[in-house]
């Protein structure tokens, strides 16, 4: 099994270096150019959109709830384990490449989430469904294309990502409480996740609405305190990260390093953490009730910024401040490096709270991954048995992930995400004109001091007639 895991890891690295990285950065740079750097020009509007996003749900899912579902998926073990792994295997320079992936990824996330809103469909209960599968069908014009993506997403989110996140929960509890029983951990996951997942998407939205912002804020506050204590060292750390990105310096003691290692691990961990272009977040974005697709696009783009530029950077600073005495400690690996680094800075008492925080981070990602699975299953078939099957499989995967060794799945997740990402980016590249038109429509209304409301009927900014009944003129 070990040789299989190593082989999968080698394939994952090759795919990242030769395919994912170039497609991800290439499409992101293209979208940045054609949108005239929307992620920089509209950063203020993104914060404003989030602050005013808790209203206008009209019985459905609010824009803020949709944002927190995707934030719950993004701010998970990738921000703790992923950054630690990137540093150990790629050196400090890996963090720089995570920043690059995030900054161009903000444009990609904006485009995919806005597309999800443009092509969303209304459900009988008044809520909406959408995402890559839907804009591949409605926009590109191929239901088969959408079905392929949907099946990939169901398996990746409902089985692989769910199992990996719950495995992280088990690993955290095991090193915090030596001798802890895996089956008891699985039972705890079932007790917490089961009722929420089996309650459906609205149940998840109600939980993530408060859980995701709180956990992200607490973690960033801890990091801010640590950085404040070590404020004089921060400029040097940033310089070390940037310099190492181009000279391939190792983390310390010969651990990690190399320019290619920095690029590969920064790209892989950046994608795993912020999911920009992967095609997962648009499934949550489409469920929101908003007056203009661009508003949700802004909100989801900000999620990438929060996840990587703020939360992942916080983790990197904590680890780098801890120094070699923590990196080289016996038994230290990506699953516990961040916790040891925090304890080194503020005391051993922090180990248990950190373990609890990692539990919450991973748990939130489990329930968010379920949402992505169900949305895509509803594309394949809207039968009630299918929705129930997704819920049962997600709960079962979360429980099994806690009790089995998953090196194969941990190494497979990069390949699974690469396949999803490339499949999704092709569709975005084909449909970018719709988002560019929606953005121009939004900007024209804001220049006229209006609160933008999107109407597709006779919209001069759109490249063609938009089919569907969601964005038609009210009197129509």
């Amino acid at each position: 099994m070990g040789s299989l895991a190593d082989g999968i890891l080698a394939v994952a690295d090759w795919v990242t270096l030769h395919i994912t990285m170039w497609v991800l950065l290439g499409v992101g740079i293209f979208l940045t150019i054609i949108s005239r750097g929307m992620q920089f020009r509209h950063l203020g509007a993104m914060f404003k959109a989030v602050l005013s996003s808790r209203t206008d749900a009209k019985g459905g899912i609010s824009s803020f709830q949709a944002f927190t579902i995707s934030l719950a998926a993004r701010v998970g073990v990738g921000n703790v384990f992923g950054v630690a792994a990137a540093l150990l295997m790629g050196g400090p320079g890996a963090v720089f490449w995570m920043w690059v992936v995030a900054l161009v990824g903000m444009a990609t996330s904006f485009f995919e989430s806005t597309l999800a809103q443009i092509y969303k469909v209304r459900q009988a209960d008044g809520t909406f469904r959408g995402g890559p599968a839907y804009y591949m069908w409605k926009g590109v014009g191929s239901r088969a294309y959408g079905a392929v993506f949907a099946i990939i997403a169901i398996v990746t989110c409902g089985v692989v990502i769910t199992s990996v996140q719950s495995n992280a929960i088990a690993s955290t509890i095991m090193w915090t409480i030596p001798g802890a029983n895996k089956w008891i951990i699985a039972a705890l996951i079932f007790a917490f996740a089961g009722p929420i997942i089996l309650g459906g998407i609205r149940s998840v939205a109600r939980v993530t609405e408060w859980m995701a912002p709180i956990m992200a804020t607490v973690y960033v506050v801890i990091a801010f305190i640590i950085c404040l204590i070590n404020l004089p060292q921060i400029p040097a750390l940033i310089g070390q990260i940037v310099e190492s990105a181009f000279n391939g310096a190792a983390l310390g003691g010969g651990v990690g390093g190399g320019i290619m290692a920095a690029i590969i691990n920064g790209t892989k961990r950046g994608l795993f953490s912020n999911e920009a272009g992967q095609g997962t977040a648009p499934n949550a974005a489409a469920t929101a009730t908003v007056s203009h697709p661009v508003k949700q696009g802004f909100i989801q783009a900000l999620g990438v910024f929060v996840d990587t530029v703020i939360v992942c950077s916080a983790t990197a600073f904590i680890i780098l401040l801890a120094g070699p005495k923590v990196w080289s400690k016996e038994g230290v690996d990506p699953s516990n490096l961040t916790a040891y680094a925090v304890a080194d800075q503020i005391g051993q008492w922090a180990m248990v709270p950190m373990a609890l925080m990692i539990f919450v981070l991973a748990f939130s990602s489990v329930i968010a991954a379920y949402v992505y699975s169900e949305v895509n299953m509803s594309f394949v078939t809207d039968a009630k048995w299918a929705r129930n099957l997704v819920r049962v499989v997600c709960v079962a995967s979360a429980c099994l992930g806690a009790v089995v060794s998953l090196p194969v799945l941990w190494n497979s997740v990069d390949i699974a995400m690469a396949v999803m990402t490339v499949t999704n980016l092709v569709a975005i590249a084909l449909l970018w004109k719709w988002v560019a038109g929606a953005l121009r429509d939004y900007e024209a209304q804001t220049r006229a001091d209006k609160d933008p409301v999107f109407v597709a009927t006779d919209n001069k900014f759109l490249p063609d007639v938009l089919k569907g009944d969601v964005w038609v003129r009210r009197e129509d």
Side-chain angles (χ1 to χ4, degrees):
M1 187 64 73
S3 59
L4 176 60
D6 291 341
I8 293 174
L9 179 60
V11 172
D13 283 348
W14 187 93
V15 169
T16 299
L17 181 60
H18 294 91
I19 301 175
T20 313
M21 180 180 72
W22 297 108
V23 177
L24 190 66
L25 294 178
V27 172
I29 291 170
F30 169 73
L31 298 178
T32 298
I33 292 171
I34 61 103
S35 67
R36 295 177 294 121
M38 57 74 48
Q39 66 267 53
F40 308 111
R41 293 190 299 114
H42 290 295
L43 188 60
M46 293 177 192
F47 282 99
K48 182 179 178 181
V50 169
L51 293 174
S52 60
S53 62
R54 299 195 66 174
T55 58
D56 297 330
K58 299 177 181 177
I61 292 175
S62 73
S63 182
F64 184 76
Q65 287 175 324
F67 167 69
T68 56
I69 290 173
S70 60
L71 186 64
R74 285 182 171 128
V75 183
V77 296
N79 299 85
V80 182
F81 291 18
V83 175
L87 284 167
L88 287 172
M89 293 186 282
V95 178
F96 174 85
W97 295 108
M98 291 182 74
W99 292 341
V100 171
V101 169
L103 290 176
V104 299
M106 289 176 70
T108 308
S109 182
F110 168 76
F111 271 74
E112 64 180 351
S113 296
T114 303
L115 276 175
Q117 274 288 323
I118 290 173
Y119 290 105
K120 68 183 180 182
V121 297
R122 196 187 307 274
Q123 301 293 289
D125 63 356
T127 61
F128 297 101
R129 294 289 185 275
Y134 289 84
Y135 56 70
M136 289 168 187
W137 173 32
K138 299 284 189 178
V140 178
S142 174
R143 185 172 178 84
Y145 184 13
V148 168
F149 178 90
I151 293 169
I152 295 170
I154 291 167
V155 175
T156 301
C157 298
V159 178
V160 179
I161 292 178
T162 304
S163 300
V164 164
Q165 298 285 352
S166 65
N167 188 250
I169 292 173
S171 297
T172 300
I173 294 176
M174 294 292 285
W175 59 253
T176 306
I177 309 174
N181 187 289
K182 287 186 176 181
W183 289 101
I184 294 178
I185 297 172
L188 287 172
I189 292 173
F190 176 81
F192 282 106
I196 298 172
I197 291 176
L198 296 176
I201 293 176
R202 282 180 172 172
S203 174
V204 173
R206 286 192 294 269
V207 173
T208 57
E209 184 175 20
W210 58 267
M211 178 187 287
I214 289 175
M215 69 181 180
T217 301
V218 170
Y219 186 70
V220 170
V221 166
I222 291 173
F224 178 76
I225 292 171
I226 292 173
C227 290
L228 198 61
I229 295 170
N230 299 275
L231 191 59
Q233 299 180 50
I234 300 301
L237 289 184
I238 296 174
Q240 181 186 6
I241 289 170
V242 175
E243 184 180 353
S244 299
F246 300 98
N247 66 17
L251 182 62
V255 180
I259 294 176
M260 284 299 101
I263 294 174
I264 290 172
N265 286 284
T267 303
K268 284 200 305 184
R269 295 307 130 214
L271 177 59
F272 182 51
S273 177
N274 64 51
E275 303 180 9
Q278 184 180 317
T280 46
N283 295 289
T287 64
T289 302
V290 291
S291 63
H292 200 293
V294 165
K295 291 182 178 181
Q296 195 62 31
F298 281 167
I299 289 172
Q300 300 303 137
L302 184 64
V304 175
F305 181 86
V306 170
D307 173 88
T308 306
V309 178
I310 296 178
V311 182
C312 285
S313 296
T315 301
F317 290 158
I318 290 171
I319 294 172
L320 291 172
L321 285 167
K325 63 182 181 296
V326 174
W327 310 334
S328 306
K329 191 174 182 177
E330 186 178 353
V332 167
D333 58 39
S335 70
N336 55 31
L337 174 56
T338 305
Y340 279 124
V342 171
D344 175 75
Q345 293 292 309
I346 60 177
Q348 290 299 313
W349 64 268
M351 291 293 285
V352 172
M354 275 300 297
L356 178 62
M357 192 175 304
I358 292 170
F359 175 90
V360 176
L361 289 169
F363 174 76
S364 67
S365 294
V366 168
I367 60 177
Y370 144 70
V371 173
Y372 300 157
S373 299
E374 180 166 318
V375 168
N376 281 282
M377 179 59 84
S378 69
F379 179 85
V380 176
T381 173
D382 206 27
K384 186 177 180 180
W385 67 264
R387 292 197 301 274
N388 291 334
L389 176 63
V390 166
R391 295 172 187 179
V392 171
V393 168
C394 286
V395 172
S397 296
C399 294
L400 289 174
V403 298
V404 299
S405 179
L406 292 173
V408 172
L409 275 179
W410 270 101
N411 294 342
S412 298
V413 73
D414 294 318
I415 298 175
M417 291 193 303
V419 173
M420 284 185 65
T421 301
V422 173
T423 305
N424 180 47
L425 290 175
V426 170
I428 296 173
L430 293 172
L431 298 171
W432 68 267
K433 290 182 180 180
W434 289 92
V435 181
L439 179 59
R440 288 196 297 271
D441 176 72
Y442 176 92
E443 291 172 338
Q445 293 190 54
T446 55
R447 284 194 298 270
D449 292 327
K450 297 179 181 178
D451 180 14
V453 175
F454 185 68
V455 178
T457 309
D458 299 325
N459 191 313
K460 65 180 181 180
F461 297 104
L462 299 181
D464 204 344
V465 176
L466 179 65
K467 299 176 182 178
D469 64 347
V470 175
W471 298 111
V472 296
R473 196 183 304 277
R474 295 286 183 256
E475 56 266 29
D476 294 339

